[in-house]
């Protein structure tokens, strides 16, 4: 890199977490930049906050009375309340937001019960049942049998908790013997025991007390206790409000989905379903219901064999169960619910949750003993017992349940409707779901208002508890802030309009020269097309203020038709290494084919970045083939933007003259996040914590710092069963954050010859329940780093917790 840039920080490991074997060659999983890409994880992080709620912006001065302890004791750190009067720059604008007021009775005590649904066993203890369909079916049967209980309007969460307005009875727990019909096992009659135990009460007025409070808390513990009490009330109300949509729609977390008449096909065995998200949010002086339109990728309810072909986009079954396709198939089959009808009645099974066990051997190879002692295989058994001749006897059988004692032929299984796709969506699925779900703000507002009119309706249940909902969107005021000017060379200023501005006639603030660079062409362009692209890029670069000279070398790697994946990787690495030694380039420009050649697109990009960033320490710029064949000046200008910034240039600066906080003192910005390994990779990949910090007054240059750390810890609960594995908890806080901050602040000092007076710390990836941990751990680490830099160094610190996955939508009134 040019000498003006700080040196690239190398990946360093925690002392107590050695790098696992081969982790250097495993790039971190890519992100799609869209929450819709998470499929089953579409369950949104419930983080929206109405405009009147105190924002998650926590300001502290490290020298204040709140932080007199050398280690910033956790008992005194908590977010300050919103000031009653504050500066309000910008132009006021009337808004409607997708929040609906919830009106609660003045004082309402809710009784809470624990519900244990048990299957009677021969052993001394009954086995507690947790299957969702069993719990819900038994509960419906109990209400049908005991109508006196039904008149009390009990609210059941579908698992183990029950809420009522009045005490059901005094004294000891009560047991009920309930006979019910199992719709998922051929309408068989079953008997379960239900035990209902009173466990306490919840005062819903605690929620109103929490939202009405507008004065500082004495300690963080006081605030936490009050918040926990309010959260108990929120939980009761959310269960209550979800009763109606759960009985009408397919529910996943807080989202409720409608069965589409004509589903939009997303490819790879998935359809797009529309629904709505519903959550209760505490606001200032009042609680709200947050409603929003939501979409999810649902697995098609089809035969399992057909689904596997669609999932892998394979024409032949043999291809669907080989190589990378097999791993994808196993991942999607884990925990999938399927139905069978070969016995003459419908039965629902859940496939094994273990990826390594979900597929067994073929029906020819799987043998077992019959009651008469003879041995047969699955193929012969189905032929003789059910008169069913299997079409695909060579396919592996699917393993049912956790014990793995039942194996079924794929072709006899049909996927149960309403199951979300697991893991991330493919790039193509993400593109389709974003395109299909895009709607004008006016249309989205109408959909939300229609949902409120049809689903936030009074019900006998809500009337019984005295809960009312205002079905009109909440109206408030927003502010349109003044747009800052963007300055280019010769101090030329441009004013962005609607988030964009025209670059015609302006040059980069500081333009660089790219004199040594190499083109690696995986598109195999004709010479004239390649030359045309290079000349146009040089011309656009010259107009933008960056000098691009002719490339030192151009190479199109050769591959044989029969080359394996590993062989192709070897050829690619060899070419990069050769030209890196030969030309000593500042940058590799890599032309990537839109087709999966020579490797799948995602793998190709990751390989290029791993070779350049990790192995060679050289800059790289990838260009897709469609941007070469159909290049436009705007596209080339964007490429020049990236090239100039990577070479150490300054594209533009933001005029901070109207921002006194930035212009009158030295301010440093730090951003941090933790990236966890994907599902199934916990044993071979650590979590990766990364932080960047600004190193100049223009907020243009940044230093980076990366660490490996443990991704989880074992947690032992009070109800831990002896010998059972401990529950694992994700570690979201950054280990050794003080070392990372020390490194970043030092880089700022070395570049600016001064220390920042203020540090603004943006923290991504934490939920509301983790705010306190950020204060107790990461703010403490930041102070330790400041003390290491210089004794008595105490800059003012603002912590901003960034929460992207919220469902707040604002609409201009009228």
């Amino acid at each position: 890199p040019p000498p003006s840039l700080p040196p690239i920080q190398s990946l360093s490991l925690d002392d107590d977490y050695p790098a696992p074997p081969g982790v250097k060659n495993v790039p971190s999983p890519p992100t799609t930049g869209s929450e819709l890409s998470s499929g089953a994880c579409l369950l949104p992080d419930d983080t929206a906050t109405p405009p009147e709620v105190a924002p998650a912006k926590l300001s502290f001065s490290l020298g204040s009375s709140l932080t007199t302890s050398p280690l910033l004791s956790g008992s005194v750190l908590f977010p300050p309340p919103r000031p009653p009067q504050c500066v309000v720059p910008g132009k006021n604008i009337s808004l409607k937001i997708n929040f609906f007021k919830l009106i609660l009775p003045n004082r309402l005590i809710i009784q809470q019960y624990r519900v244990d649904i048990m299957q009677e066993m021969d052993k001394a203890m009954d086995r507690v049942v947790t299957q969702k369909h069993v719990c819900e079916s038994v509960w419906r049967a109990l209400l049908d049998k005991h109508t006196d209980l039904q008149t009390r309007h009990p609210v059941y969460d579908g698992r183990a908790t029950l809420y009522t307005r009045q005490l059901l009875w005094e004294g000891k727990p009560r047991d009920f013997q309930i006979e019910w019909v199992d719709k998922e096992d051929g309408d068989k009659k079953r008997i379960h025991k239900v035990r209902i135990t009173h466990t306490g009460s919840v005062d819903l007025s605690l929620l109103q007390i929490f939202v009405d409070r507008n004065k500082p808390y004495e300690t963080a513990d006081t605030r936490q206790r009050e918040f926990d009490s309010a959260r108990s009330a929120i939980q009761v109300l959310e269960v209550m409000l979800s009763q109606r949509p759960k009985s009408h729609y397919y529910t996943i977390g807080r989202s409720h989905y409608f069965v589409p008449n004509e589903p939009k096909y997303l490819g790879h065995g998935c359809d797009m379903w529309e629904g709505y998200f519903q959550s209760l949010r505490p606001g200032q002086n009042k609680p709200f219901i947050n409603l929003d339109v939501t979409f999810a990728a649902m697995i098609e309810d089809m035969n399992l064999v057909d689904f596997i072909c669609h999932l892998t986009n394979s024409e032949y079954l043999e291809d669907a169960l080989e190589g990378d396709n097999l791993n994808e198939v196993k991942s999607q089959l884990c925990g999938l619910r399927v139905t069978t009808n070969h016995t003459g009645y419908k039965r629902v099974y859940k496939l094994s949750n273990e990826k390594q066990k979900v597929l067994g051997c073929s029906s020819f190879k799987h043998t077992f003993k019959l009651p008469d002692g003879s041995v047969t295989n699955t193929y012969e058994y189905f032929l003789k017992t059910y008169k069913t001749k299997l079409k695909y006897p060579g396919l592996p059988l699917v393993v049912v349940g956790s014990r793995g004692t039942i194996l079924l032929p794929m072709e006899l299984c049909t996927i149960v409707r309403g199951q979300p796709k697991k893991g991330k969506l493919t790039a193509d699925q993400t593109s389709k779901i974003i395109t299909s779900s895009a709607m004008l703000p006016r249309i989205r507002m109408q959909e939300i208002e229609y949902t409120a009119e049809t689903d936030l309706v009074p019900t006998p249940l809500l009337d019984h508890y005295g809960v009312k909902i205002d079905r009109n969107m909440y109206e408030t005021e927003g502010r349109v802030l003044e747009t800052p000017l963007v300055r280019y060379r010769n101090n030329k200023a441009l004013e962005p309009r609607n988030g964009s501005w025209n670059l015609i006639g302006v040059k980069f603030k500081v333009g660089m020269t790219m004199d040594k660079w190499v083109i690696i062409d995986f598109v195999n362009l004709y010479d004239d097309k390649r030359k045309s692209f290079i000349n146009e890029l040089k011309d656009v670069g010259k107009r933008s203020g960056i000098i691009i000279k002719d490339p030192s070398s151009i190479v199109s790697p050769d591959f044989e038709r029969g080359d394996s994946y590993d062989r192709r990787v070897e050829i690619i690495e060899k070419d990069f290494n050769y030209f890196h030694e030969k030309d000593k380039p500042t940058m590799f420009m890599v032309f990537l084919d839109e087709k999966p050649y020579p490797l799948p697109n995602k793998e190709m990009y990751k390989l290029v970045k791993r070779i350049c960033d990790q192995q060679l320490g050289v800059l790289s710029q990838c260009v897709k083939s469609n941007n070469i064949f159909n290049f436009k000046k705007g596209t080339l200008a964007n490429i020049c933007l990236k090239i100039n910034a990577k070479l150490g240039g300054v594209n533009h600066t933001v005029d901070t003259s109207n921002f006194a906080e930035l212009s009158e003192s030295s301010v440093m910005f730090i951003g941090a996040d933790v990236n966890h390994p994907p599902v199934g990779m916990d044993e071979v990949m650590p979590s990766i914590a990364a932080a960047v910090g600004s190193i100049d007054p223009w907020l243009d240059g940044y230093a980076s710092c990366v660490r490996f750390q443990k991704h989880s810890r074992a947690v032992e609960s009070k109800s831990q069963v002896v010998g059972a594995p401990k529950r694992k908890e994700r570690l979201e806080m950054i280990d050794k954050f003080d070392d990372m901050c020390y490194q970043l602040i030092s880089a700022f000092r070395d570049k600016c010859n001064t220390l920042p007076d203020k540090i603004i710390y943006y923290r991504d990836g934490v939920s509301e329940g983790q705010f306190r941990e950020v204060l107790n751990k990461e703010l403490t680490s930041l102070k330790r780093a400041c003390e290491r830099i210089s004794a008595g160094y105490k800059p003012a610190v603002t912590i901003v917790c960034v929460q992207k996955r919220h469902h707040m939508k604002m609409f201009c009134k009228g």
Side-chain angles (χ1 to χ4, degrees):
S4 60
L5 282 178
I8 296 176
Q9 306 295 345
S10 59
L11 292 175
S12 58
L13 291 168
D14 268 1
D15 298 335
D16 54 355
Y17 197 95
V23 74
K24 179 179 179 182
N25 295 324
V26 182
S28 59
T31 58
T32 63
S34 170
E35 65 178 288
L36 295 172
S37 65
S38 57
C41 300
L42 273 175
L43 315 182
D45 219 344
D46 183 20
T47 53
T49 305
E52 292 185 300
V53 181
K57 180 176 179 180
L58 322 175
S59 301
F60 302 89
S61 170
L62 294 185
S64 71
S65 59
L66 285 177
T67 57
T68 54
S69 168
L71 294 179
L72 292 172
S73 169
S75 63
V76 296
L77 288 178
F78 55 91
R82 167 178 283 192
Q85 297 293 332
C86 57
V87 180
V88 284
K91 175 185 175 182
N92 284 355
I93 183 172
S94 297
L95 298 172
K96 297 173 73 174
I97 60 174
N98 58 336
F99 281 74
F100 301 83
K101 285 189 290 186
L102 187 66
I103 303 166
L104 304 177
N106 290 332
R107 184 168 179 81
L108 178 60
I109 306 296
I110 299 295
Q111 305 302 321
Q112 180 172 322
Y113 296 84
R114 187 180 77 243
V115 178
D116 294 317
I117 298 176
M118 296 169 283
Q119 183 176 358
E120 295 186 350
M121 310 290 287
D122 295 334
K123 301 177 182 179
M125 294 183 65
D126 296 332
R127 182 171 67 89
V128 177
V129 176
T130 58
Q131 290 96 326
K132 182 179 177 182
H133 91 277
V134 174
C135 293
E136 292 179 345
S137 299
V138 172
W139 181 252
R140 284 194 295 268
L142 185 148
L143 292 181
D144 291 341
K145 183 177 180 180
H146 299 274
T147 54
D148 57 327
L149 182 61
Q150 191 170 0
T151 59
R152 304 286 190 92
H153 294 282
V155 179
Y156 179 50
D157 72 348
R159 294 292 186 181
T161 308
L162 176 70
Y163 303 105
T164 62
R165 183 163 186 168
Q166 297 91 15
L167 275 172
L168 296 179
W169 54 74
E170 300 284 349
K172 298 180 180 180
R174 288 197 181 179
D175 291 347
F176 302 86
Q177 292 290 121
I178 302 298
E179 183 181 279
W180 61 286
V181 176
D182 192 348
K183 297 290 185 182
E184 295 192 357
D185 194 5
D187 290 344
K188 291 182 180 178
K189 292 185 178 180
R190 304 189 185 280
I191 297 178
H192 278 72
K193 181 168 71 175
V194 180
R195 176 172 295 162
I196 301 179
T197 308
H198 186 258
T199 57
S201 60
V202 179
D203 187 353
L204 293 191
S205 64
L206 294 175
L207 172 59
Q208 194 63 48
I209 293 173
F210 179 74
V211 298
D212 283 341
R213 181 166 186 135
N214 199 28
K215 61 181 180 179
Y217 293 91
E218 292 78 13
T219 67
D221 292 332
T222 304
R223 181 187 188 279
Q224 191 65 38
R225 282 195 302 271
E226 194 165 304
F227 177 69
D228 289 342
S229 299
R231 189 159 49 187
S232 300
I234 291 173
Q235 183 178 350
V236 174
L237 290 167
E238 287 216 310
V239 174
M240 190 183 301
L241 293 167
S242 68
Q243 296 296 300
R244 184 185 183 280
K246 277 185 176 180
S247 64
H248 288 72
Y249 313 119
Y250 286 84
T251 298
I252 303 173
R254 292 186 175 94
S255 297
H256 312 284
Y257 296 96
F258 324 124
V259 178
N261 295 325
E262 296 181 2
K264 170 72 176 178
Y265 185 59
L266 299 176
H268 300 279
C270 292
D271 291 331
M272 186 180 81
W273 284 27
E274 182 179 353
Y276 69 90
F277 169 85
Q278 174 181 294
S279 174
L280 192 147
R281 305 293 302 154
Q284 189 174 17
N285 302 324
K286 57 187 78 68
F288 291 88
I289 295 176
N290 178 206
L291 278 188
D292 191 20
V293 181
T294 188
F295 301 87
M298 296 287 192
I299 295 175
E300 287 186 284
D301 47 326
M302 57 168 53
N303 183 273
L304 197 55
V305 173
D306 295 333
F307 168 70
I308 289 174
C309 290
H310 287 204
L311 173 66
T312 58
N313 202 23
S314 301
E315 186 176 353
Y316 302 103
L317 275 171
E318 295 78 7
D319 298 334
L321 297 172
E322 288 185 354
D324 292 338
N325 285 344
L326 181 59
N327 287 328
E328 178 65 14
V329 168
K330 287 181 177 180
S331 297
Q332 292 302 319
L333 292 186
C334 285
L336 196 65
R337 298 176 74 238
V338 297
T339 62
T340 61
N341 288 290
H342 62 273
T343 55
Y345 59 85
K346 174 185 175 181
R347 181 166 183 183
V348 179
Y349 293 95
K350 183 179 179 181
L351 304 189
S352 172
N353 279 316
E354 297 185 50
K355 184 176 178 180
Q356 302 304 321
K357 296 182 180 180
V358 70
L359 293 181
C361 57
S362 69
S363 59
F364 287 136
K365 294 181 180 179
H366 180 249
T367 59
F368 53 92
K369 284 187 178 182
L370 296 174
D372 61 4
S374 61
V375 177
T376 186
N377 61 33
T378 302
Y379 178 81
E380 294 293 338
Y381 175 78
F382 275 86
L383 184 61
K384 293 179 180 179
T385 307
Y386 301 112
K387 310 301 180 186
T388 301
K389 184 177 181 180
L390 300 179
K391 296 180 181 179
Y392 309 105
L395 291 180
L397 303 172
V398 290
V399 179
V400 174
S402 57
R403 296 181 181 179
T405 55
I406 302 176
L407 287 85
L408 298 171
M410 288 185 188
E411 62 193 82
L412 300 183
C413 299
T414 302
I415 296 172
V416 175
R417 173 184 286 180
Q419 298 182 81
K421 181 184 185 296
K422 299 181 181 67
K424 292 183 178 179
L425 303 182
T426 65
D428 186 51
Q429 286 176 324
T430 302
S431 176
K432 287 182 179 178
I433 202 169
I434 290 175
T435 303
S436 302
S437 62
M439 59 180 69
L440 294 172
R442 173 177 52 83
I443 303 300
R444 180 180 287 269
M445 183 175 71
Q446 291 173 357
E447 293 233 2
I448 293 172
E449 289 177 331
Y450 176 77
T451 300
E453 285 296 322
T454 55
D455 286 285
L456 296 184
V457 294
T459 63
L461 177 69
L462 296 181
D463 292 341
H464 177 76
Y465 288 89
V467 176
K468 298 180 180 178
I469 304 170
D470 184 345
R471 287 181 284 169
N472 296 309
M473 276 193 182
Y474 188 70
E475 297 183 6
T476 185
E477 279 195 345
R479 285 176 285 115
V480 180
L481 301 180
E482 183 180 350
T483 305
L485 297 177
V486 180
R487 296 196 177 274
Y488 287 84
R489 189 176 298 182
N490 299 324
N491 211 30
K492 185 171 183 178
L494 295 181
E495 182 179 0
R497 294 185 181 276
N498 299 323
S500 63
W501 60 97
N502 197 327
L503 294 179
I504 296 177
V506 297
K507 292 188 176 183
F508 298 141
K509 189 82 172 180
V510 178
M512 304 299 288
T513 299
M514 187 166 70
D515 51 359
K516 291 184 179 181
W517 59 295
V518 173
I519 291 178
I520 306 289
D521 180 10
F522 293 104
V523 185
N524 293 320
L525 296 171
Y526 290 117
D527 290 341
D528 57 343
K529 185 63 179 178
R530 188 190 298 127
K531 186 175 180 179
S532 173
F533 174 81
I534 294 172
N535 289 338
E536 194 66 27
L537 181 66
K538 290 166 61 178
D539 181 62
V540 172
K542 184 178 179 180
R543 295 179 185 178
S544 301
I546 176 175
I547 299 174
I548 302 176
K549 297 186 177 181
D550 290 327
S552 304
S553 298
I554 300 175
V555 60
S556 294
D558 292 325
F559 302 96
E560 299 292 336
R561 183 180 294 273
D563 284 343
S564 64
Y565 179 94
D566 291 338
R567 173 59 181 160
R568 290 173 183 246
V569 171
E570 180 184 344
I571 293 172
I572 294 170
E573 289 181 336
K574 184 178 178 180
D575 284 338
F576 272 98
N577 287 323
Y578 173 78
F579 286 99
H580 182 252
E581 289 295 326
K582 173 179 173 290
D583 296 317
K584 301 292 189 295
T586 305
M587 176 180 288
F588 279 104
M589 182 171 288
V590 185
F591 295 165
L592 297 180
D593 203 327
E594 290 291 327
K595 300 176 182 177
Y597 175 85
L599 302 177
N601 302 79
K602 184 170 61 174
E603 297 297 323
M604 192 66 217
Y605 180 81
K606 290 194 293 185
L607 177 62
V608 169
K609 292 302 179 181
R610 177 170 64 82
I611 293 173
C612 294
D613 294 350
Q614 256 183 286
Q615 297 178 1
L616 303 180
V618 65
L619 301 172
S620 61
Q621 177 62 50
C622 295
V623 183
K624 291 183 178 180
S625 57
N626 64 340
N627 290 330
I628 301 173
F629 290 117
N630 304 301
F631 61 78
K632 299 178 181 178
K633 291 190 182 295
T635 303
L636 296 178
N638 283 333
I639 294 174
C640 290
L641 281 170
K642 298 174 186 291
I643 292 173
N644 191 57
K646 290 176 180 179
L647 291 174
V650 179
N651 293 338
H652 59 255
T653 59
V654 178
D655 189 341
T656 60
S657 58
N658 293 331
F659 303 92
E661 293 291 326
L662 295 178
S663 59
E664 296 175 1
S665 59
S666 59
V667 180
M668 179 182 184
F669 286 82
I670 295 177
D673 194 9
V674 178
N675 193 348
H676 297 295
V679 177
M681 298 295 289
D682 284 359
E683 300 302 322
V684 296
M685 290 181 66
S687 291
I688 300 174
V692 296
S694 61
I695 57 172
D696 60 42
W698 306 281
L699 309 178
D700 183 77
Y702 289 82
S704 63
C705 192
V706 181
R707 295 285 190 276
F708 291 148
Q709 67 179 42
K710 295 178 181 178
H711 47 68
S712 61
R713 65 181 175 187
V715 179
E716 186 171 352
S717 63
K718 296 179 180 179
S719 58
Q720 182 76 27
V721 178
V722 177
K726 296 180 180 179
R727 178 177 62 85
K728 287 190 175 182
E729 179 181 80
R730 284 286 191 192
L731 291 177
E732 191 56 52
M733 297 302 108
I734 300 176
D735 288 342
K736 299 186 179 177
F737 187 55
D738 49 347
D739 292 339
M740 300 174 76
C741 290
Y742 178 82
Q743 195 170 331
L744 297 175
I745 297 172
S746 297
F748 183 98
R749 179 190 57 190
D750 296 343
K751 184 70 180 290
C752 298
N753 295 319
T754 184
L755 289 171
D757 300 322
K758 299 176 182 178
I759 296 177
I760 300 177
Y761 173 36
Y762 283 89
R763 180 62 161 93
D764 195 9
V766 293
S767 63
E768 288 179 344
Q770 295 170 318
F771 287 172
R772 196 177 175 195
E773 278 190 275
V774 172
L775 298 180
N776 293 340
K777 295 181 180 179
E778 295 183 4
L779 180 59
T780 304
S781 297
L782 180 54
K783 187 194 178 189
R784 278 201 298 264
C786 293
E787 288 289 338
R788 284 175 60 189
I789 292 284
S790 176
Y793 172 51
K794 297 179 180 180
V797 176
T798 298
I799 301 178
V800 183
C801 290
V802 182
Q803 297 178 299
K804 303 182 294 294
R805 292 188 178 183
H806 61 78
H807 282 264
M808 172 185 255
K809 298 293 185 292
M810 294 178 284
F811 307 96
C812 293
K813 185 179 177 182

